[in-house]
């Protein structure tokens, strides 16, 4: 049977036409006309003072740590469940990531866990919009304000999501977006830093280009400007090729999110009565971007065996995301039992805007069969007898 991929980027003729225009312009590199146009559009869309287009969300998180003055000896509280990029960003600048456990229902950082971890060394909090679900920013901002901490939103998975009527990515003083191939808007790779403080945006933009700013701009100045390297910078620029693709994708976000939401609703309906797994639940005060659709398997289900069976039928699946505190690179001291449990029981099934209803039905049929075959649940075994 035809394979059903776990992820699939929705790129087509409009994006190809935009790339062709960049080729014709003669400037495919970063911080050119397309990159500037993308940054302007992002700033307007999210209602922020500045937007800096960068190579990926990890770069945006790194730049955020630098712009916010995080240094060796500082502690940054980060959400434990999600891709470990925020914790790595803290390590990049010599700080210590401190892992906060997550809510069992939304999989996002637990505000009470954050409050319990604040010490005199804590300088900030990085919340993660886990696989597209915004975190609890009202409570988190209150904690940050009470202790004089910064709050950064890792909205890598949440382009198109909302929290209390506001767009994910603009819910904290700094927001970091991803435009990776599985995101709601994609250029293959890419990211952006969104800043409510223009000084943060200015700092990030300069550092993202070796600390000297736009070569394209310098080439258009009369005379011969010679840049001076005054501090360490990085090559985190987003190419104008990717920027052109993203301008098209930003215009398609609503359309693509509607498709993902319809698929999520179909999964929820078809799997509602399955006792061996639970489907995601979205609180009334937020909307989900559905970057990933994760089901939570019953503790008696052999997840590895289920995944093997699904892949054997050509159906893509994955473990979901990560419990960062158990990763050896961090040598963490914290225990995050909720995150650890989710890490052991989550299974990601196909989710992208190109899925067809009959493909969703096929995934559900295969998943039902696999979890029942590979379950030690007494109810299922008794029913089978």
């Amino acid at each position: 049977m035809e394979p059903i991929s776990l992820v699939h980027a929705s790129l087509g003729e409009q994006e190809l036409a935009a790339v062709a225009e960049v080729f014709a312009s003669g400037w495919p590199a970063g911080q050119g006309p397309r990159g500037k146009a993308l940054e302007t559009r992002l700033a307007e869309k999210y209602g922020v003072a500045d937007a800096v287009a960068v190579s990926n969300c990890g770069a945006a998180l790194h730049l955020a740590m630098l712009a916010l003055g995080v240094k060796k000896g500082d502690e940054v509280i980060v959400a434990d469940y999600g891709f470990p990029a925020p914790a790595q960003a803290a390590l990049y600048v010599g700080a210590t990531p401190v892992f906060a456990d997550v809510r069992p229902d939304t999989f996002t950082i637990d505000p009470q866990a954050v409050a319990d971890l604040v010490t005199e060394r804590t300088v900030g909090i990085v919340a993660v919009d886990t696989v597209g679900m915004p975190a609890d920013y009202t409570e988190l901002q209150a904690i940050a304000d009470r202790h004089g901490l910064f709050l950064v939103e890792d909205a890598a998975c949440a382009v198109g999501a909302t929290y209390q009527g506001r767009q994910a990515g603009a819910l904290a003083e700094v927001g970091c977006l991803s435009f990776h191939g599985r995101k709601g808007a994609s250029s293959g790779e890419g990211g952006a830093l969104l800043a409510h403080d223009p000084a943060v945006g200015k700092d990030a933009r300069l550092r993202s280009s070796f600390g000297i700013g736009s070569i394209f701009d310098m080439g258009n100045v009369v005379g011969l400007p010679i840049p001076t390297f005054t501090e360490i910078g990085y090559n985190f620029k987003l190419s104008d090729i990717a920027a052109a693709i993203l301008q098209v994708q930003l215009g398609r976000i609503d359309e693509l999110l509607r498709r993902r939401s319809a698929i999520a609703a179909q999964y929820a309906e078809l799997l509602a009565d399955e006792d061996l797994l639970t489907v995601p639940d979205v609180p009334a005060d937020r909307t989900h971007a559905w970057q990933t659709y994760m089901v939570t398997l019953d503790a008696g289900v052999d997840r590895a065996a289920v995944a093997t069976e699904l892949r054997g039928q050509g159906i893509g699946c994955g473990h979901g995301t990560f419990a960062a505190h158990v990763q050896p690179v961090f040598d963490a001291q914290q225990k995050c039992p909720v995150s650890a449990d989710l890490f052991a029981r989550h299974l990601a099934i196909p989710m992208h805007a190109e899925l067809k209803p009959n493909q969703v039905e096929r995934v559900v049929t295969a998943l039902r069969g696999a979890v029942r075959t590979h379950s030690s649940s007494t109810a299922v075994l008794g029913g089978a007898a």
Side-chain angles (χ1 to χ4, degrees):
M1 299 181 72
E2 182 180 357
I4 302 175
S5 61
L6 178 64
V7 299
H8 185 92
S10 297
L11 300 170
E13 294 299 324
Q14 295 179 66
E15 289 82 1
L16 281 173
V19 170
E21 290 179 7
V22 175
F23 286 1
S25 76
W27 186 269
Q31 295 188 330
R34 290 297 188 131
K36 293 178 183 300
L38 173 65
E39 290 178 339
T40 298
R41 186 165 182 180
L42 285 170
E44 292 174 349
K45 173 178 172 57
Y46 287 94
V48 294
D50 202 0
V52 183
V54 292
S55 53
N56 53 65
C57 189
L61 288 162
H62 186 179
L63 292 169
M65 295 296 103
L66 292 166
L68 293 167
V70 182
K71 61 187 184 303
K72 186 175 181 179
D74 291 340
E75 292 180 350
V76 179
I77 298 173
V78 300
D80 187 69
Y81 197 54
F83 199 78
Q88 292 182 340
L91 292 180
Y92 294 158
V93 296
T96 300
V98 177
F99 298 102
D101 210 349
V102 296
R103 290 175 48 174
D105 54 348
T106 62
F107 322 140
T108 58
I109 192 168
D110 184 342
Q112 186 57 56
V114 172
D116 292 343
L117 290 169
V118 175
T119 72
E120 61 182 16
R121 295 175 57 193
T122 306
V123 296
I125 305 162
V126 183
V128 176
D129 299 337
T130 312
V131 301
M133 174 84 82
D136 299 288
Y137 287 94
T138 298
E139 293 89 339
L140 293 169
Q141 190 63 63
I143 295 168
D145 292 343
R146 186 161 63 247
H147 296 282
L149 310 175
F150 65 73
L151 177 61
V152 170
E153 178 186 8
D154 179 348
C157 303
V159 173
T162 63
Y163 171 77
Q164 297 182 352
R166 296 181 293 147
Q167 292 191 82
L171 301 173
E173 59 189 285
V174 177
C176 299
L177 305 180
S178 173
F179 304 120
H180 179 269
R182 71 185 300 177
K183 310 303 182 185
S186 174
S187 52
E189 293 283 359
L193 180 146
L194 307 177
H196 288 281
D197 182 349
V200 171
K202 181 179 179 181
D203 185 278
R205 181 173 288 101
L206 190 64
R207 291 180 192 271
S208 72
S209 184
F210 294 108
I212 59 172
S214 170
I215 299 299
F216 178 84
D217 287 349
M218 294 176 199
N220 288 297
V221 173
V222 175
L224 185 61
I226 300 176
T228 301
F229 296 83
T230 59
E231 57 184 308
I232 295 174
Y234 304 85
N235 186 12
F236 288 160
K237 302 185 298 295
L238 182 73
S239 75
D240 264 32
I241 296 171
I245 294 171
L246 283 170
Q247 283 186 278
V248 175
Q249 287 273 292
L250 287 176
R252 299 181 62 201
I253 283 179
D254 291 344
E255 163 212 346
L256 298 175
L257 183 54
R258 278 195 300 271
R259 291 196 221 164
R260 287 176 179 258
S261 297
I263 292 160
Q266 187 181 4
Y267 273 137
E269 179 181 0
L270 295 177
L271 290 168
D273 63 345
E274 180 51 67
D275 294 334
L276 293 173
L277 60 81
T278 56
V279 297
D281 182 54
V282 183
D285 67 345
R286 66 202 77 181
T287 63
H288 205 301
W290 300 115
Q291 183 230 247
T292 300
Y293 195 90
M294 296 189 303
V295 296
T296 309
L297 302 180
D298 181 84
V301 174
D302 184 338
R303 182 176 63 171
V306 170
T308 298
E309 185 167 329
L310 291 180
R311 289 179 176 180
Q313 296 181 51
I315 297 172
C317 58
H319 66 269
T321 191
F322 295 87
H325 77 285
V326 302
Q327 304 304 319
V329 66
F330 299 117
D331 191 25
Q333 303 304 306
Q334 297 81 45
K335 300 295 183 184
C336 301
V338 175
S339 178
D341 179 60
L342 295 172
F343 183 43
R345 295 199 290 133
H346 267 160
L347 182 72
I349 58 177
M351 169 54 78
H352 53 80
E354 306 308 312
L355 277 177
K356 302 297 187 291
N358 65 312
Q359 292 178 311
V360 173
E361 291 172 0
R362 183 179 147 204
V363 171
V364 168
T365 298
L367 179 60
R368 279 186 183 278
V371 296
R372 292 174 182 181
T373 298
H374 302 290
S375 172
S376 61
S377 168
T378 54
V380 171
L381 292 175

